[in-house]
Amino acid sequence: MKLTRRARDHIKSAACIVALFVAWELACVAFRISPIVLPRPTAVISTLIVQMPALWPHILQTLATTMLGFLLGTLIGVALGAFVGVSRSAYNTAYPLLVGFSSIPKVAVVPIFVLWFGSGTVPAVLTAMTTCIFPIVVNVATGLATTEPEMEDVLKALGASRRQVLWNVSLPRAMPYFFASLKVAVTLAFVGTVLSETVAANRGIGTVMMMATASFDVPLVFAGLFALALLGILLYVVFAGIEQRVCGWATRKQDLAVA
Amino acid sequence: MTDAVPLPALPVTETPPLLDRIVQLENVRVRFGTGDASLLALDRTSLTVRPGDFVAMVGPSGCGKSTILKLVAGLLRPTEGNVFVAGREVGAERIGIGMAFQNPTLLPWLSIRQNIMLPLKIVKPYADTYRRDRETVFRDRAEALLARVGLAGFGDRKPWELSGGMLQRANLCRALIHAPKLLMLDEPFGALDQFTREELWSVLQDLYLETRPTVFLVTHDLREAAFLASRILVMSARPGRVVEDRAVDFARPRTLETTFADAFGALTNELRRLIFQARQDQAAIAPATATQETAA
Ligand SMILES: Nc1ncnc2c1ncn2[C@@H]1O[C@H](COP(=O)(O)OP(=O)(O)OP(=O)(O)O)[C@@H](O)[C@H]1O
Ligand SMILES: [Mg+2]
């Protein structure tokens, strides 16, 4: 049987990942590392499976919080990005503000949200939202601003309105930038949610990990980390897939350039 | 190429305006920037073009040829003077000017056919029936145009699957699809090899002879100007003015044979001499301008 080059690449990278975990396992055994310091991956995975019924509601909670925050972040991010990308003066005003805001560590924002809305889901959603807005705004604004001047001239000479230029050229051109930012934003939203959950919540993976740490249940802490990583990968893959469907033209062009 | 099938006409035909001038520039001056750093690109340029003229513009680099195209297309306002198109102040009425640049700028997410049909989506009255006609009349016209430029069967391809020369052919189709009354070409064949270029001269000439739009062609190729134009404008160095207005009356359709005639060679030599002269004049005035600019 002859495998395609793509399939072989996939198998190769899968083998590397498995090898990494095997090395971790062997290192734990060989150096007799205490499970309180670093549990073996098999122990983590078995904890994850055994505890799954108890973990499941928390996983759903974290996922729902993240998606809600991500959705809000996307809506606001697109609106802000469009605003900043279309108008020069909006760019000059909003950009320094955005850069300043994104430089604030989100840990510092959580207490403020808790102060305003009490602990629980609301501050987690808001933290997820604020964590993921920045890359969306920047990419949408950049995407909208990349229309070639010649293309704009051609359309304006035809008598196209601003709206027609936006609809026919600028928006489609901004799509790859937008989707690239979604992939990053969705993982950032996770970070925001878990951050808020560890500080002020009674549900969610973040809370579980907090409590597990307090009771020195290190394998459970790691099981929480694994669950987070798996969810992150899952969402990344979903959005990468959508990106490929919606704007494959942007990457296919690159394929050709490489070949 | 001369026995090519005529293009299917578009469903709506407008009555041509009964004007003896479609484009008129009156004492136009264009200044970029303000204050000491400003740059005078065009100075007191006046120009009248009759409907159906094929005007080629040649001149030293940076003399303001593209600026004139942008003025006529309504992409730029003159600092002083007036620009009239079809009897009205430019920009007053959208007449759907066809335009093509050296850079083809086809949209990568659309097929070649969708790309060249884009003007029909924007220009009235075609835009009103675009949804209804895009699979029938408009599509047929797009296919016919593609066949004329030698791209038959490439309508469903994406731009990245085509070579530079093929993209430039498609670019020409996009400029012509809506049968514009005014066609603006800014060095459209500048990046092509000699053979493709000469082939496209004939294609463009055929299309021109069929519908007789008014064409502005900016070019650095003097043979191209002499082959295609009915009128050649030679511009002075910046600030640009028209220093020579030469009618070209070789019989049409012109062929490569035309370019071998003595008169053709004489014309291109004369043009070369005029442009050389214009550049010399610039060299003479350059030091004065340079000190002005460094003082700023
Ligand atoms: N948007 C602009 N801002 C400032 N200066 C400009 C602008 N557009 C053109 N110019 C200047 O105006 C002058 C004329 O430009 P234009 O593009 O019309 O030249 P051109 O004759 O088309 O030159 P080329 O043959 O090299 O294309 C140039 O010196 C250029 O630097
Ligand atoms: Mg130019």
Side-chain angles (χ1 to χ4, degrees):
Chain A
M1 194 181 74
K2 195 149 162 58
L3 290 171
T4 61
R5 198 174 139 195
R6 261 184 89 100
R8 256 182 305 157
D9 281 352
H10 281 311
I11 292 173
K12 234 187 269 172
S13 36
C16 284
I17 292 169
V18 170
L20 195 71
F21 280 100
V22 171
W24 174 358
E25 181 87 24
L26 290 179
C28 285
V29 176
F31 300 112
R32 295 166 200 254
I33 297 172
S34 154
I36 303 261
V37 178
L38 182 67
R40 289 178 287 124
T42 45
V44 175
I45 289 166
S46 75
T47 311
L48 190 59
I49 292 168
V50 171
Q51 301 271 25
M52 192 46 99
L55 275 175
W56 189 240
H58 295 285
I59 289 178
L60 286 185
Q61 166 74 19
T62 300
L63 193 62
T65 309
T66 303
M67 290 319 287
L68 192 59
F70 171 65
L71 189 73
L72 288 174
T74 307
L75 291 179
I76 297 173
V78 168
L80 269 179
F83 184 57
V84 171
V86 169
S87 144
R88 176 102 236 140
S89 53
Y91 181 93
N92 292 336
T93 322
Y95 221 80
L97 286 177
L98 280 166
V99 173
F101 184 69
S102 76
S103 314
I104 300 173
K106 297 303 169 292
V107 195
V109 186
V110 180
I112 300 175
F113 286 146
V114 175
L115 198 69
W116 289 346
F117 302 102
S119 67
T121 311
V122 182
V125 169
L126 291 179
T127 314
M129 181 188 90
T130 49
T131 318
C132 74
I133 277 183
F134 190 63
I136 300 179
V137 176
V138 172
N139 275 35
V140 169
T142 313
L144 286 177
T146 48
T147 307
E148 293 121 316
E150 282 107 334
M151 190 65 218
E152 221 173 313
D153 282 352
V154 167
L155 289 176
K156 281 194 194 145
L158 289 168
S161 61
R162 270 182 81 121
R163 213 191 45 152
Q164 280 174 315
V165 175
L166 192 72
W167 202 247
N168 285 298
V169 182
S170 308
L171 277 184
R173 172 138 278 148
M175 279 299 139
Y177 293 85
F178 172 60
F179 277 100
S181 75
L182 285 192
K183 286 188 301 191
V184 179
V186 78
T187 52
L188 285 180
F190 251 113
V191 175
T193 304
V194 174
L195 190 72
S196 182
E197 281 171 354
T198 47
V199 177
N202 43 26
R203 291 182 67 185
I205 302 178
T207 313
V208 172
M209 282 167 60
M210 251 343 253
M211 297 196 306
T213 313
S215 58
F216 293 102
D217 189 351
V218 182
L220 187 58
V221 175
F222 273 82
L225 283 182
F226 268 41
L228 282 176
L230 288 175
L231 283 179
I233 292 171
L234 181 78
L235 287 179
Y236 184 93
V237 167
V238 167
F239 281 97
I242 298 176
E243 179 188 12
Q244 191 58 42
R245 289 291 294 269
V246 177
C247 33
W249 55 266
T251 45
R252 239 174 289 157
K253 200 170 162 190
Q254 278 167 8
D255 279 357
L256 208 79
V258 172
Chain B
M1 269 296 161
T2 34
D3 52 25
V5 281
L7 291 174
L10 287 167
V12 195
T13 48
E14 291 167 275
T15 48
L18 300 169
L19 288 167
D20 62 338
R21 53 192 62 172
I22 183 162
V23 172
Q24 187 172 10
L25 274 68
E26 277 178 356
N27 276 322
V28 168
R29 185 177 263 191
V30 173
R31 186 183 288 280
F32 288 109
T34 50
D36 292 336
S38 76
L39 186 130
L40 192 60
L42 284 182
D43 191 21
R44 306 244 175 79
T45 305
S46 293
L47 179 65
T48 313
V49 177
R50 287 187 310 270
D53 267 359
F54 196 128
V55 181
M57 288 194 282
V58 296
S61 182
C63 69
K65 303 181 293 294
S66 300
T67 304
I68 291 187
L69 286 201
K70 287 187 181 162
L71 282 171
V72 177
L75 303 170
L76 195 69
R77 301 280 138 158
T79 316
E80 278 171 42
N82 298 305
V83 180
F84 296 101
V85 174
R88 306 183 56 176
E89 192 86 38
V90 68
E93 188 187 11
R94 291 174 175 175
I95 63 165
I97 296 170
M99 221 171 179
F101 294 91
Q102 180 171 342
N103 177 4
T105 61
L106 298 184
L107 304 174
W109 57 90
L110 298 179
S111 70
I112 295 297
R113 189 186 311 104
Q114 289 169 326
N115 260 296
I116 69 175
M117 282 165 65
L118 188 61
L120 297 174
K121 223 165 148 179
I122 287 162
V123 177
K124 296 220 170 207
Y126 313 119
D128 302 331
T129 60
Y130 184 78
R131 282 184 171 281
R132 194 190 72 206
D133 292 337
R134 65 179 163 190
E135 292 301 331
T136 54
V137 201
F138 291 174
R139 189 193 165 103
D140 292 347
R141 181 166 163 94
E143 286 300 332
L145 257 180
L146 282 172
R148 289 290 289 274
V149 301
L151 284 181
F154 283 92
D156 290 314
R157 300 293 185 93
K158 290 284 167 68
W160 69 80
E161 299 176 89
L162 270 59
S163 72
M166 293 159 93
L167 289 176
Q168 200 53 52
R169 290 162 197 256
N171 191 16
L172 200 58
C173 292
R174 185 177 63 189
L176 284 162
I177 186 84
H178 58 295
K181 274 184 279 186
L182 255 179
L183 183 61
M184 300 290 174
L185 304 171
D186 198 343
E187 300 179 41
F189 310 134
L192 303 180
D193 67 277
Q194 190 66 36
F195 298 105
T196 309
R197 198 184 295 184
E198 286 173 0
E199 184 196 332
L200 287 179
W201 291 352
S202 293
V203 172
L204 179 58
Q205 176 180 241
D206 289 346
L207 293 167
Y208 163 71
L209 290 177
E210 234 167 84
T211 51
R212 289 275 176 177
T214 309
V215 187
F216 278 75
L217 170 74
V218 171
T219 179
H220 286 291
D221 183 342
L222 302 177
R223 291 177 65 240
E224 182 170 301
F227 185 95
L228 284 167
S230 54
R231 200 176 151 193
I232 298 178
L233 304 179
V234 182
M235 307 230 349
S236 71
R238 198 180 68 230
R241 277 172 303 105
V242 178
V243 291
E244 179 79 25
D245 186 344
R246 184 70 62 101
V248 185
D249 39 23
F250 303 123
R252 292 197 194 263
R254 297 169 191 167
T255 63
L256 274 190
E257 287 304 318
T258 315
T259 68
F260 302 142
D262 289 342
F264 192 91
L267 176 61
T268 53
N269 281 335
E270 174 71 3
L271 291 172
R272 186 164 292 119
R273 198 185 58 75
L274 284 165
I275 294 173
F276 183 75
Q277 186 67 44
R279 299 188 64 208
Q280 291 273 301
D281 293 349
Q282 181 184 35
I285 59 164
T289 344
T291 44
Q292 257 176 19
E293 274 168 9
T294 43

